[in-house]
């Protein structure tokens, strides 16, 4: 199946936005004819065949969840009809798409959830799309095991209905963690959908199907139901902390276009506001992957707060599981709430009062009230004792017996407090808070980066005729020693037990995840350097000095390397692969004819 | 040079050639076996008009009845609406008049309306007289052209005329004709076209 939009997605193409859209449109028609989906054929339509590849790059499916008097919550519609969801996934979606009954939520509510994908299914297309992932910042990469659900829930009185209320959710299921973007899309389409139903959904999905692929680093024009959304997905090459806002034209008319300054960021300050004095402690808890639960009055607050927590250690990736909204019906409920084991390294957002009891044994609990539009700051400065948390009615605050390693930075608190007094807009406050977290995280991670970089063998130790040298081992004590001279004190004024924080961090899932990524990158870099060194050798001279068997062995090895380099996207210089191919061909031609035939065939698929 | 984004929507009966007009304008190509549009499709094209660049954000709506209720989303915020009929099918001209009525009631107040009588290459089977359509268009101050997406007749001209009618950003009135005054219109002239 041809993947639409790929042509415009290559690294060499930096065309203007129009071209991206045009590239998509251009290939539209022939492709429609080329790939009729099963369902369309069943329906026997000779027209309007939808191709779903473009759609799948953005969304897995769209669900409508309603309330059936006999069945309870039920998935009423899945779009496209051929999308596959297991029964378990459907059950999860049903429960996660409705607020808990105690939340109230009259009117329209937006929130987000995350759930585990049932194992062993549908890999094909996601594999194809994975190459978009490689230019993404690590914290935006897709997690193959999880889906996001973005919900627009409407609950209004309706006397004509037996239940007395109209209750329905429009839910977008996606692998992409672009919270703000999907929030905007739903806000754009859901209210109209509830008025107009089915043809509306068909048209909206069709719009998504024609979107250009979610390529990082380009300004994308995404038309949806009469409005064009303009976004730019960040890349791993962006300078952290800079938002490259897509170019604004003079038009503010939201009936025409909407420009999003970010695809993924939440309003950090608004979320941290209720627990504002503890921001730095919460950063430590998230960094260390401590079990953390957010108890909130509604799923919109729980999900925003959990996402804000997870993002506060950016550009580090939070590697444990997190559930912006978690219910007692969740398939992982037992696994996460069991008392027979220590609480898992996860962050949960909950609204059901039942959790106050179920999660009583958890070490860190954040209670938040209604999120206010950042008007006033809570006065409470002290951390609360866990034993004081009895029910969901307990007062807002952070309940923990955790003693932070670092002493609190009073400057940031003063700065933000001043902002509140001066009525500084929440977005500006968020920018300040985000920069503060970023500097803190970078101060923390730079010494680790520096040490890990030193584990790389010297360039001169790479020999083309030996396997690539090994990376040196990570030795915690050796690392700790580097901190005396090159620790976080170089970039941060914050005092405290940094060493203790590092020791704790080295045992956490976040360190594990970070280190694995670095290790893999460095191993690949070594492979790449090795490959480049091989290409610089005079291989024809080499074979003159070696036996035929050795030469054949060399050819096979080189062919293997080519395949591997291709598959793993090794960071080699652009012409290396071509050089290597030329080498291989030259060597083969120097061999006797019977061998040539065999060698030309091997390794070709 | 100033860049202006102009939302433009195409309205009209199914099969009159809305998508073909857009394809001819944007891609300069024609496909006789085009599929009916679902919802609406979207394309852009930027053209220069005097000292401005006009970037047309073109929403090509589905003509099929089941998508009828979605139309307001596409004409909402539009600077211009191109209503297309098929000169070989009289009923498509009646549908066009309904679109004019709808725009008058619910459309943006200063929307430029353009009427395109498409398939003018098929004069042998013509059902709508050019004169009648022109008179009707004049009576509502709409742009009028007969077009052929197939033979590339009057397609660029249609969009140039729209550019001309769109009020320029500075306060001076445009050099071209008057805007389409939907709300102040006296009753629509009663005339049968054929």
């Amino acid at each position: 199946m041809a993947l639409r939009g790929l042509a415009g997605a290559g690294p060499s193409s930096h065309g203007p936005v129009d071209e991206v859209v045009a590239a998509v449109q251009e290939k539209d028609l022939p492709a429609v004819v080329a790939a009729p989906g099963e369902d369309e054929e069943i329906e026997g339509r000779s027209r309007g065949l939808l191709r779903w590849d473009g759609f799948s790059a953005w969304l897995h499916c769209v669900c409508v969840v309603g309330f059936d008097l006999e069945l309870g919550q039920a998935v009423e519609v899945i779009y496209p009809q051929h999308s596959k969801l297991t029964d378990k996934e459907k059950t999860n979606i049903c429960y996660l798409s409705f607020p808990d009954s105690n939340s109230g939520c009259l009117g329209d509510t937006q929130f987000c959830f995350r759930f585990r994908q049932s194992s062993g299914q549908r890999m094909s297309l996601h594999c194809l799309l994975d190459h978009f992932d490689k230019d993404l910042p690590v914290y935006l990469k897709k997690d193959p095991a999880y889906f996001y659900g973005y919900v627009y829930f409407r609950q209004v009185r309706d006397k004509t209905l037996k239940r007395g209320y109209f209750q329905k959710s429009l839910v977008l299921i996606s692998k992409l963690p672009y919270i703000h973007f999907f929030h905007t899309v739903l806000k754009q389409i859901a209210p109209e959908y509830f008025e107009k139903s089915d043809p509306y959904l068909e048209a909206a999905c069709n719009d998504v199907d024609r979107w250009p692929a979610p390529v990082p680093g380009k300004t994308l024009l995404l038309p949806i139901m009469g409005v064009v959304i303009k976004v730019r997905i960040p890349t791993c090459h962006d300078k952290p902390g800079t938002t490259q806002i897509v170019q604004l034209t003079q038009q503010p008319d939201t009936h025409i276009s909407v420009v999003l300054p970010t695809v993924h960021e939440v309003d950090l300050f608004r979320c941290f506001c209720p627990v504002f004095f503890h921001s730095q402690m919460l950063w430590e808890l998230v960094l260390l992957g401590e079990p953390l639960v957010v108890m909130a009055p509604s799923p919109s607050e729980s999900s925003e707060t959990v996402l804000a927590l997870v993002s506060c250690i950016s550009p580090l990736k939070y590697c444990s599981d997190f559930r912006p909204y978690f219910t007692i019906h969740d398939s992982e409920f037992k696994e996460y709430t069991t008392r027979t084991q220590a609480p898992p390294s996860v962050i949960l957002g909950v609204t059901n009062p039942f959790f106050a009891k179920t999660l009583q044994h958890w070490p860190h609990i954040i209670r938040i009230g209604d999120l206010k539009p950042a008007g006033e700051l809570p006065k409470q400065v002290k951390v609360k004792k866990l034993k004081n948390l009895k029910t969901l009615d307990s007062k807002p605050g952070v309940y923990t017996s955790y003693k932070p390693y670092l002493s609190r930075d009073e400057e940031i608190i003063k700065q933000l407090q001043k902002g509140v007094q001066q009525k500084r807009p929440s977005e500006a406050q968020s920018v300040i808070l985000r920069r503060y977290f970023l500097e803190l995280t970078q101060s923390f991670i730079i010494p680790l980066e520096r040490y890990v970089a030193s584990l790389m063998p010297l360039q001169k130790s790479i020999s083309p005729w030996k396997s690539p040298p090994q990376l040196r081992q990570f030795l915690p004590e050796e690392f700790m020693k580097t901190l005396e001279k090159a620790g976080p004190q170089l970039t941060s004024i914050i005092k405290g037990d940094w060493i203790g924080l590092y020791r704790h961090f080295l045992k956490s899932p976040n360190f594990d995840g970070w280190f694995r990524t670095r290790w893999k990158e460095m191993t690949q870099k070594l492979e790449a350097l090795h490959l480049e060194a091989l290409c610089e050798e005079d291989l024809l001279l080499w074979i003159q000095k070696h036996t035929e068997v050795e030469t054949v062995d060399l050819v096979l090895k080189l062919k293997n390397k080519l395949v591997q380099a291709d598959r793993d996207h090794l960071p080699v210089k652009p012409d290396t692969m071509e050089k290597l191919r030329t080498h291989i061909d030259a060597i083969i031609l120097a061999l006797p004819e019977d061998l040539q035939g065999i060698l030309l065939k091997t390794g070709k698929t | 040079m100033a860049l202006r984004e102009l939302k433009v929507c195409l309205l009209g009966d199914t099969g009159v050639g809305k998508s073909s007009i857009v394809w001819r304008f944007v891609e300069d190509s024609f496909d006789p076996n085009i599929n009916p549009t679902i919802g609406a499709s979207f394309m852009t094209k930027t053209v220069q008009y005097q000292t401005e660049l006009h970037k047309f954000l073109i929403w090509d709506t589905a003509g099929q009845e089941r998508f009828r209720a979605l139309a307001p989303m596409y004409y909402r915020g539009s600077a211009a609406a191109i209503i297309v009929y098929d000169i070989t099918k009289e009923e498509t001209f009646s549908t066009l008049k309904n679109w004019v009525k709808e725009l008058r009631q619910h459309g943006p107040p200063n929307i430029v309306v353009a009427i395109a009588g498409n398939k003018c290459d098929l004069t042998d089977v013509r059902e709508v007289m050019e004169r009648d359509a022109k008179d009707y268009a004049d009576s509502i101050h709409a742009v009028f052209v007969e077009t052929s997406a197939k033979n590339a007749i009057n397609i660029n001209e249609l969009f140039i005329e729209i550019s001309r009618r769109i009020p320029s950003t500075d306060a001076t009135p445009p050099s071209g004709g008057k805007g389409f005054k939907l709300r102040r219109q006296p009753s629509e002239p009663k005339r049968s076209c054929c």
Side-chain angles (χ1 to χ4, degrees):
Chain A
M1 226 187 278
L3 203 62
R4 205 159 359 124
L6 279 187
S12 59
S13 144
H14 293 286
V17 176
D18 279 33
E19 281 178 26
V20 177
V21 175
V24 170
Q25 302 285 4
E26 205 170 39
K27 292 195 193 123
D28 222 353
L29 281 186
V32 167
V33 183
E38 315 151 54
D39 275 36
E40 286 87 12
E41 272 185 323
I42 292 165
E43 285 176 45
R45 288 186 195 165
S46 57
R47 34 131 235 109
L49 296 183
L50 295 177
R51 307 188 26 179
W52 293 102
D53 287 2
F55 181 92
S56 313
W58 289 92
L59 292 175
H60 178 69
C61 65
V62 179
C63 296
V64 178
V65 180
F67 195 92
D68 183 291
L69 270 181
E70 275 157 31
L71 300 171
Q73 279 118 282
V75 177
E76 291 177 353
V77 180
I78 297 183
Y79 225 96
Q81 284 137 352
H82 63 259
S83 347
K84 291 193 176 59
L85 287 172
T86 63
D87 287 344
K88 195 168 157 192
E89 286 166 346
K90 275 189 205 160
T91 311
N92 277 331
I93 291 171
C94 278
Y95 285 115
L96 290 166
S97 299
F98 268 44
D100 276 317
S101 48
N102 65 301
S103 299
C105 295
L106 212 58
D108 290 357
T109 309
Q110 282 195 257
F111 58 96
C112 131
F113 60 82
R114 191 168 175 263
F115 66 105
R116 224 178 255 178
Q117 180 176 348
S118 306
S119 54
Q121 43 161 341
R122 40 161 198 265
M123 278 302 290
S124 55
L125 193 67
H126 293 304
C127 286
L128 275 172
L129 294 167
D130 269 350
H131 68 278
F132 299 132
D133 259 27
K134 99 181 139 62
D135 290 326
L136 283 170
V138 62
Y139 53 90
L140 288 183
K141 285 188 199 289
K142 282 189 292 252
D143 189 328
Y146 288 90
F147 279 121
Y148 280 86
Y150 300 97
V151 185
Y152 193 105
F153 171 70
R154 173 170 286 185
Q155 177 167 250
V156 284
R157 251 182 207 292
D158 186 342
K159 284 189 187 131
T160 62
L161 297 173
K162 216 173 174 187
R163 195 171 157 85
Y165 282 97
F166 171 91
Q167 293 171 310
K168 207 166 262 203
S169 280
L170 184 65
V171 189
L172 309 178
I173 305 292
S174 174
K175 289 259 163 185
L176 304 175
Y178 303 154
I179 299 122
H180 185 64
F181 169 69
F182 286 116
H183 194 88
T184 311
V185 170
L186 271 175
K187 212 191 227 160
Q188 199 69 46
I189 65 172
E192 298 260 10
Y193 164 71
F194 290 126
E195 310 285 321
K196 302 195 168 102
S197 38
D198 287 350
Y200 186 92
L201 206 54
E202 187 184 353
C205 290
N206 198 62
D207 280 345
V208 176
D209 192 40
R210 278 183 302 217
W211 282 357
V215 186
K218 274 187 180 170
T219 300
L220 304 173
L221 286 195
L222 308 172
I224 180 97
M225 303 313 281
V227 174
V228 182
I229 302 179
K230 294 182 195 174
V231 293
R232 182 186 175 279
I233 299 168
T235 75
C236 53
H237 314 296
D238 296 354
K239 199 167 159 262
T242 56
T243 14
Q244 303 205 357
I245 300 173
V246 288
Q247 191 101 47
L248 279 163
T249 45
Q250 79 286 7
Q251 240 142 13
D253 189 342
T254 50
H255 287 150
I256 302 172
S257 58
V258 179
V259 181
L260 296 190
T262 169
V263 285
H264 65 286
E265 283 169 359
V266 291
D267 189 343
L268 207 56
F269 181 69
R270 196 162 67 93
C271 298
F272 271 94
C273 201
V275 287
F276 164 75
F277 287 100
H278 312 298
S279 303
Q280 194 179 314
M281 178 177 77
L282 293 172
W283 173 84
E284 282 188 23
L285 292 175
V286 176
L287 180 76
L288 298 173
E290 285 286 306
L292 203 51
V293 60
V294 176
M295 295 184 178
S298 87
S300 52
E301 279 123 8
S302 78
S303 60
E304 272 202 305
T305 310
V306 169
L307 293 167
L309 285 168
V310 166
S311 72
C312 82
I313 59 165
S314 158
L316 270 181
K317 182 188 170 79
Y318 180 79
C319 296
S320 302
D321 190 8
F322 58 96
R323 303 299 179 94
Y325 175 51
F326 189 72
T327 76
I328 54 171
H329 304 285
D330 202 285
S331 49
E332 276 75 56
F333 176 75
K334 277 217 179 91
E335 180 188 330
Y336 284 166
T337 58
T338 173
R339 280 170 181 264
T340 56
Q341 288 166 13
S345 167
V346 293
I347 303 180
L348 300 182
V350 302
T351 62
N352 194 322
F354 186 66
F355 280 106
K357 225 175 157 195
T358 325
L359 299 179
Q360 235 172 11
H361 61 298
W362 276 42
H364 323 289
I365 295 168
I366 302 172
R367 267 286 299 130
I368 53 170
D370 292 314
L371 284 188
K372 297 187 182 76
E376 55 197 83
L377 288 174
K379 298 197 177 60
Q380 175 261 343
V381 187
K382 282 195 177 150
V383 171
K384 301 189 175 190
K385 297 227 169 66
L386 265 170
K387 62 175 198 283
N388 292 339
L389 183 87
K390 289 283 183 292
T391 61
L392 206 62
D393 301 329
S394 304
K395 284 201 176 132
V398 180
Y399 294 77
T400 178
S401 52
Y402 177 79
K403 294 268 176 304
Y405 288 97
L406 304 181
S407 41
R408 188 156 72 194
D409 182 355
E410 300 294 340
E411 277 307 304
I412 181 71
I413 293 183
K414 276 188 209 143
Q415 199 186 349
L416 289 173
Q417 271 175 324
K418 206 170 150 199
V420 172
Q421 282 158 13
Q422 294 171 342
K423 302 218 172 350
R424 194 186 285 146
S426 181
E427 300 86 56
Q429 294 275 72
S430 284
V431 170
I432 294 171
L433 188 58
R434 184 167 289 119
R435 196 188 308 133
Y436 159 76
F437 279 134
L438 177 69
E439 284 169 7
L440 190 56
T441 308
Q442 282 183 326
S443 292
F444 179 79
I445 205 73
I446 287 169
L448 274 165
E449 296 277 10
R450 203 181 286 133
Y451 172 69
V452 167
S454 77
L455 302 179
M456 190 83 170
L458 295 173
Q459 173 100 37
K460 64 180 180 198
S461 66
I462 298 169
S463 154
W465 304 113
K466 287 184 203 147
S467 10
Q470 293 284 305
L471 290 168
R472 289 202 304 120
Q473 210 189 337
F474 186 106
L475 300 169
E477 289 316 311
E478 194 180 65
F479 164 66
M480 293 298 171
K481 271 191 205 132
T482 68
L483 292 177
E484 283 168 31
K485 278 185 186 159
Q489 70 275 9
L490 294 182
T491 47
S492 177
I493 51 156
I494 297 172
K495 302 270 179 267
D497 182 11
W498 284 93
I499 303 272
L501 186 63
Y502 279 114
R503 285 195 193 284
H504 195 156
F505 178 70
L506 294 187
K507 289 179 213 142
S508 76
N510 288 334
F511 169 73
D512 199 49
W514 171 82
F515 186 64
R516 267 170 211 265
T517 312
R518 281 290 170 280
W519 192 263
K520 192 178 158 203
E521 282 169 4
M522 286 162 58
T523 313
Q524 290 193 340
K525 184 70 199 165
L526 269 178
E527 289 281 348
L529 289 172
H530 183 246
L531 206 61
E532 282 163 15
L534 251 178
C535 285
E536 295 309 318
E537 286 295 304
D538 188 344
L539 298 179
L540 287 175
L541 189 74
W542 184 89
I543 59 168
Q544 283 170 19
K545 297 177 186 162
H546 289 79
T547 62
E548 205 173 271
V549 177
E550 282 170 309
T551 306
V552 170
D553 188 51
L554 177 70
V555 169
L556 294 177
K557 272 189 185 147
L558 290 178
K559 281 194 165 188
N560 243 337
K561 286 219 172 261
L562 261 185
V563 173
Q564 188 202 352
D566 221 28
R567 188 191 55 211
D568 299 344
H569 305 291
L570 285 192
V572 287
K573 284 186 212 145
D575 56 340
T576 305
M577 303 283 275
E578 207 37 58
K579 266 191 195 166
L580 195 61
R581 269 185 210 106
T582 320
H583 275 315
I584 295 174
D585 292 343
I587 299 171
I588 293 178
L589 282 179
L591 286 165
E593 260 181 43
D594 55 336
L595 270 177
Q596 282 188 25
I598 297 169
L599 284 176
L600 284 173
K601 264 183 240 153
T602 48
K604 273 194 187 146
T605 45
Chain B
M1 206 179 294
L3 176 77
R4 289 175 73 191
E5 291 191 338
L6 300 171
K7 183 171 171 180
V8 176
C9 66
L10 280 92
L11 302 166
D13 234 336
T14 184
V16 296
K18 297 181 290 299
S19 301
S20 295
I21 288 176
V22 177
W23 268 80
R24 177 58 77 189
F25 177 59
V26 176
E27 300 282 337
D28 196 20
S29 66
F30 179 79
D31 177 354
N33 302 315
I34 201 164
N35 284 310
T37 306
I38 292 169
S41 71
F42 174 80
M43 285 190 153
T44 67
K45 178 158 174 166
T46 307
V47 295
Q48 188 177 342
Y49 177 73
Q50 295 180 347
T51 58
E52 289 181 334
L53 286 177
H54 285 177
K55 177 170 181 179
F56 290 114
L57 308 178
I58 307 168
W59 288 92
D60 164 29
T61 69
Q64 289 171 331
E65 189 53 34
R66 65 194 179 107
F67 295 114
R68 187 71 168 74
L70 307 185
M73 278 171 303
Y74 305 112
Y75 60 67
R76 205 181 278 162
S78 281
I82 300 172
I83 315 179
V84 186
Y85 69 96
D86 176 350
I87 66 153
T88 70
K89 291 206 176 84
E90 202 200 318
E91 68 271 19
T92 64
F93 194 70
S94 319
T95 309
L96 173 142
K97 290 181 176 172
N98 290 331
W99 281 117
V100 172
K101 272 187 208 134
E102 177 163 344
L103 283 178
R104 177 173 299 166
Q105 281 166 7
H106 305 291
N110 293 316
I111 191 167
V112 172
V113 170
I115 291 174
N118 196 33
K119 308 195 187 177
C120 72
D121 49 297
L122 303 175
T123 36
D124 301 355
V125 279
R126 175 191 284 278
E127 285 186 7
V128 183
M129 290 301 123
E130 184 168 8
R131 187 71 251 162
D132 296 335
K134 171 83 173 111
D135 287 350
Y136 173 71
D138 286 348
S139 75
I140 59 163
H141 303 288
V143 174
F144 172 76
V145 275
E146 283 202 345
T147 56
S148 165
K150 188 177 168 196
N151 295 350
I153 298 169
N154 279 341
I155 303 293
N156 285 331
E157 289 74 3
L158 172 65
F159 283 87
I160 292 166
E161 190 55 29
I162 287 171
S163 276
R164 222 159 65 81
R165 292 268 190 123
I166 283 173
S168 63
T169 32
D170 43 37
T172 52
S175 50
K178 311 163 213 151
F180 176 73
K181 297 269 192 306
L182 282 167
R183 298 198 198 288
R184 307 235 185 92
Q185 208 53 43
S187 65
E188 193 185 319
K190 293 204 170 50
R191 57 196 333 262
S192 56
C193 337
C194 304

